[in-house]
Amino acid sequence: MIRALRYVGQAAVLAAFVAAVGFFSGNPSFRHFPEGEALLKVSFSHGGDRKVECRKRTPEELAELAANMRSALDCPRERVELRFEIDLDGEPLYQALLPPAGLAGDGPSRVYERFALPAGRHVLDLRLRDSRRSEGFDHVARRAVEFDAGQSVAVDFRGGEGFIIR
Amino acid sequence: MTALQRILRPAFWRLDDWTSRVFGAAWNPLYNLGALGFFFYWIVAVSGIYVYVFFDTGVTEAYDSVAYMTEDQWYLAGVMRSLHRYAGDAMVVVMVVHLIREFSYDRLRGARWFSWLTGVPIVLLVLASGITGYWLVWDQLAQYVAIATTEWLDWLPIFGEPIARNFLAPDALDDRFFTWLVFLHIAVPLLLLLALWLHLQRVSQPRINPPRGLAAASFAALLALSLVVPATSHAPADLAMVPTVLNLDWFYLGFYPLLDLWSHGTVWVTAAILTLTLAAMPWLPPFRRPAVALVNLDNCNGCARCAEDCPFNAISMERRTDGKPFDREAVVKGSLCVSCGICAGSCPTATPFRRAGALVPGIELPDATLATLRDRLDRTADPAGQQVYLIACEHGVRPETLRRPGLAVAALPCVGALPPSFIDYLLSRCGAAGVYLAGCAEGNCHFRLGDTWTEARLERRRDPGLRKRVPRERVRCDGFAPHQSVRLRRSVETFLHDVRELPTQEIPSARQLGARFGRAHGDGGVGSP
Ligand code: HEM
Ligand code: SF4
Ligand code: SF4
């Protein structure tokens, strides 16, 4: 009797254990993204212009350099920081100065941002400055995008092509 | 920390006791948590290898290959997939309970810090193994986990290109990156195995296999679960859509919702604080270590029994240094010793009968010498031969609470610290009617192996065994958790009654006993038997 009870107890403990394992391996469910919204991801990796223009070395300077280092142009490798702005339906959504990567500041600037938007048609104004100019932008684009609920839309930027919607 | 232990420990005493009644001490799952962890690891490994045979590592093919297993080959590959998932989940459960339990019983401080500290990377590797596994299905859950994880990792300023850019748009993800994920899911569990090996370096004879019955029953339970609720996938991943409602595996992915609630930096800082706190726990608060075991070379004959019995690998047998005609000598590595005294219990030179010279065994604890113990026992000797000696483990019931006429009590760090010759001595020289050894809860020895060795020595299955001439009916051994004083009292009463029913044994004359009362040890009283 006691023995049988113990078997029942053992079965009950193991059943409870695997029931808990089975349940919590998929429940309760979790809402990660609100209903009726869409996701805008903005991400690119792009190197701006050199911070300082290349400069011709004077003959005296050249003479001071080791023979194998004597190149006529002096080009500091540091890049400018990018100025990047997004307007959504005419309202500012995002503005940032994107510093170049790397210890010497000679790498590309990078951005990765995500925004949840109400589903529907939206107009995106995208502006990027990647040169040494202090005002205005080098790349400007306006895109009208239809966002379905639950859709994920990515804005990327490539040097040759400008802004692209992926 | 200690306040938390004070709350948790009594809860575990009771829970342990309850599960021991249902499963028996040997099968008690709570005494086999580490072993069950290993067992689940092996189930995951074997089912993983099987599932891998059918798995296609291409981004577009992965989902279909998994669906094939679950739908077309549900009876084998599908079951294997379910076992793979559920055994993995079960591993998290036993790991967490194991961790809480070791903490509650304070089996992490002093020399025991090593097992704890090596447990910390195990937690991280177990989680990482599961998380990388969920990526491979390449369903919406995988997509969610992959993106949330990489966005979180990208917060660290150590990666160049944001890794999450690999999931930016449907055309962003290539087979090469996906293959890399597959590699991670194999490499991380292998690293975990390495960490588990390291975890056990400082315990001798670790219990890495559960008793067969328990293993079979747990496997059967997981198999039943796999058949009743097979593991399934979400809809296929689609990087043009955001996964919205997800059925998370809370064992592995339970903290992911935090990434939606808090900033990535906050989650990093929280994770770092939790990890560091966990790692620092053996030293919170600092532990005052008792003196470690000392070898007395003059009395060590190099038999290696202490080294075999030490539960923490603290004794090594080294080349003899004192010129005595023995090959080896015992050497204690102090940093590994937890001062359990089990080595003294195993040393053949630890015999209380010895009267020529002081009672100094080959190895013992300086704070609990056998000479002191013998003196105490001598002093309480009973010429009427009606007394029972209760030798109790300090980690079980406090023996002082049981004091009553006819019962002499003494406490030791572990019952395994009592050389069996002392039992012989008590019965044959101190006029004891019986000797009751009360360890801590059966199967849950605070020093891992003390109860096992004691039982084996009493049954003469292990050296040094109880001498044949000792009347076994006058010796009882059982285990009691600290809250079981009533049970122990009752058991001792029964024992007292039982031994008094036995025909009176030949006891030393009152003169012999009287001669030893209050006597300082080592005065050359009675010779060796
Ligand atoms: C799935 C993962 C784990 C497995 C399979 C495992 C396995 C084991 C095994 C087999 C033992 C030896 C038990 C014995 O024979 O006495 C042990 C001991 C121990 N484990 Fe784990 N363990 C795991 C995770 C952890 C974690 C996460 C921690 C804590 C952070 C931890 C802390 C300890 C401690 C403190 C001991 C010590 C023992 C002692 O001094 O008695 N373990 N583990
Ligand atoms: S058990 Fe005693 S005699 Fe044997 S090696 Fe250890 S200390 Fe020496
Ligand atoms: S007291 Fe002896 S048996 Fe216990 S840990 Fe130290 S050396 Fe090992």
Side-chain angles (χ1 to χ4, degrees), chain B residues 34 98 107 112 115-116 119 122-123 199-200 206-207 312 448:
Chain B
H98 170 60
R107 293 176 187 168
R112 299 170 93 155
S115 299
W116 180 270
I122 290 178
V123 177
H199 185 53
L200 300 179
R207 225 195 268 192
F312 296 92
R448 301 186 58 246

Side-chain angles (χ1 to χ4, degrees), chain A residues 6 9-10 13-15 17-22 24-34 38-39 41-45 108 110-112 114 149-156 166, chain B residues 18 21-24 27 40 86 89-90 93 144 147 151 160-162 164-165 167-169 171-172 217-218 221-222 225 239-251 257 260:
Chain A
R6 279 183 52 187
Q10 292 170 5
V13 169
L14 287 172
F17 175 69
V18 293
V21 164
F24 290 107
S25 77
N27 299 283
S29 66
F30 152 70
R31 177 170 278 283
H32 160 59
F33 198 73
L39 183 68
K41 286 192 203 179
V42 180
S43 173
F44 57 76
S45 172
R110 297 181 177 118
V111 63
Y112 183 98
R114 32 185 302 154
Q151 201 185 351
S152 169
V153 173
V155 169
D156 203 345
R166 296 173 75 181
Chain B
W18 187 80
R21 280 178 207 215
V22 174
F23 285 85
W27 277 35
F40 294 143
Y86 294 138
D89 290 333
V93 179
Y144 161 74
I147 293 177
E151 285 177 352
E161 198 79 352
R165 269 181 65 76
F167 308 105
L168 196 60
D171 57 351
S218 342
L222 284 176
L225 175 65
L239 289 171
M241 301 296 290
V242 198
T244 47
V245 176
L246 296 154
N247 289 92
L248 293 190
D249 179 330
W250 291 88
F251 299 106
D260 288 348

Side-chain angles (χ1 to χ4, degrees), chain B residues 376-383 387 389 429-431 513 517:
Chain B
R376 252 215 339 270
L377 299 175
D378 278 351
R379 252 181 276 124
T380 48
D382 168 31
Q387 185 163 261
Y389 282 81
R429 293 299 155 87
C430 296
L513 279 173
F517 267 80

Side-chain angles (χ1 to χ4, degrees), chain A residues 4-112:
Chain A
L5 264 181
R6 279 183 52 187
Y7 286 136
V8 172
Q10 292 170 5
V13 169
L14 287 172
F17 175 69
V18 293
V21 164
F23 183 79
F24 290 107
S25 77
N27 299 283
S29 66
F30 152 70
R31 177 170 278 283
H32 160 59
F33 198 73
E35 212 166 352
E37 295 197 358
L39 183 68
L40 169 68
K41 286 192 203 179
V42 180
S43 173
F44 57 76
S45 172
H46 171 64
D49 289 351
R50 304 268 181 224
K51 200 164 187 172
V52 190
E53 213 169 340
C54 293
R55 185 181 61 89
K56 238 186 156 138
R57 289 203 167 93
T58 59
E60 297 83 63
E61 280 175 330
L62 279 176
E64 268 174 42
L65 289 173
N68 61 341
M69 303 282 280
R70 277 180 202 151
S71 69
L73 288 179
D74 173 18
C75 293
R77 301 165 46 148
E78 198 182 342
R79 295 180 186 276
V80 296
E81 55 181 9
L82 309 188
R83 175 150 193 99
F84 178 42
E85 298 183 357
I86 311 173
D87 289 355
L88 176 73
D89 302 325
E91 299 287 326
L93 177 69
Y94 178 74
Q95 289 160 347
L97 287 171
L98 309 174
L103 285 179
D106 57 346
S109 300
R110 297 181 177 118
V111 63
Y112 183 98

Side-chain angles (χ1 to χ4, degrees), chain B residues 295 299-307 317 330 343 346-349 362-363:
Chain B
V295 174
N299 292 296
C300 171
N301 61 26
C303 71
R305 281 177 197 159
C306 55
M317 299 306 298
C343 45
S346 70
C347 183
T349 67
I363 190 166

Side-chain angles (χ1 to χ4, degrees), chain B residues 293 310-312 314-315 332 336-343 363 365:
Chain B
C310 172
F312 296 92
I315 304 174
V332 174
L336 305 187
C337 173
V338 303
S339 314
C340 63
I342 290 174
C343 45
I363 190 166
L365 295 176

Side-chain angles (χ1 to χ4, degrees), chain B residues 144-356:
Chain B
Y144 161 74
V145 175
I147 293 177
T149 311
T150 48
E151 285 177 352
W152 186 53
L153 287 174
D154 283 334
W155 183 88
L156 296 176
I158 52 174
F159 302 103
E161 198 79 352
I163 319 172
R165 269 181 65 76
N166 284 294
F167 308 105
L168 196 60
D171 57 351
L173 184 61
D174 56 19
D175 277 351
R176 227 188 50 208
F177 189 73
F178 199 72
T179 309
W180 199 75
L181 299 185
V182 179
F183 165 76
L184 272 186
H185 186 54
I186 297 170
V188 176
L190 286 177
L191 267 181
L192 170 60
L193 192 58
L194 189 73
L196 285 171
W197 170 81
L198 191 67
H199 185 53
L200 300 179
Q201 286 313 295
R202 286 205 180 173
V203 290
S204 90
Q205 316 199 11
R207 225 195 268 192
I208 52 172
N209 293 313
R212 251 184 233 161
L214 179 63
S218 342
F219 180 77
L222 284 176
L223 187 64
L225 175 65
S226 302
L227 289 167
V228 177
V229 194
T232 52
S233 311
H234 287 60
D238 177 2
L239 289 171
M241 301 296 290
V242 198
T244 47
V245 176
L246 296 154
N247 289 92
L248 293 190
D249 179 330
W250 291 88
F251 299 106
Y252 284 102
L253 310 174
F255 71 92
Y256 275 73
L258 289 181
L259 292 166
D260 288 348
L261 294 174
W262 299 349
S263 75
H264 288 166
T266 311
V267 178
W268 269 115
V269 171
T270 310
I273 290 178
L274 281 179
T275 310
L276 290 177
T277 310
L278 195 65
M281 267 158 66
W283 298 276
L284 296 176
F287 183 66
R288 252 197 51 237
R289 286 185 58 187
V292 302
L294 268 185
V295 174
N296 181 280
L297 260 195
D298 287 342
N299 292 296
C300 171
N301 61 26
C303 71
R305 281 177 197 159
C306 55
E308 280 156 25
D309 281 7
C310 172
F312 296 92
N313 287 334
I315 304 174
S316 55
M317 299 306 298
E318 310 283 344
R319 271 259 298 282
R320 200 77 196 187
T321 55
D322 62 354
K324 285 233 172 64
F326 304 110
D327 283 348
R328 298 180 301 162
E329 66 184 44
V331 174
V332 174
K333 196 151 187 220
S335 62
L336 305 187
C337 173
V338 303
S339 314
C340 63
I342 290 174
C343 45
S346 70
C347 183
T349 67
T351 159
F353 294 102
R354 202 146 54 113
R355 292 290 170 193

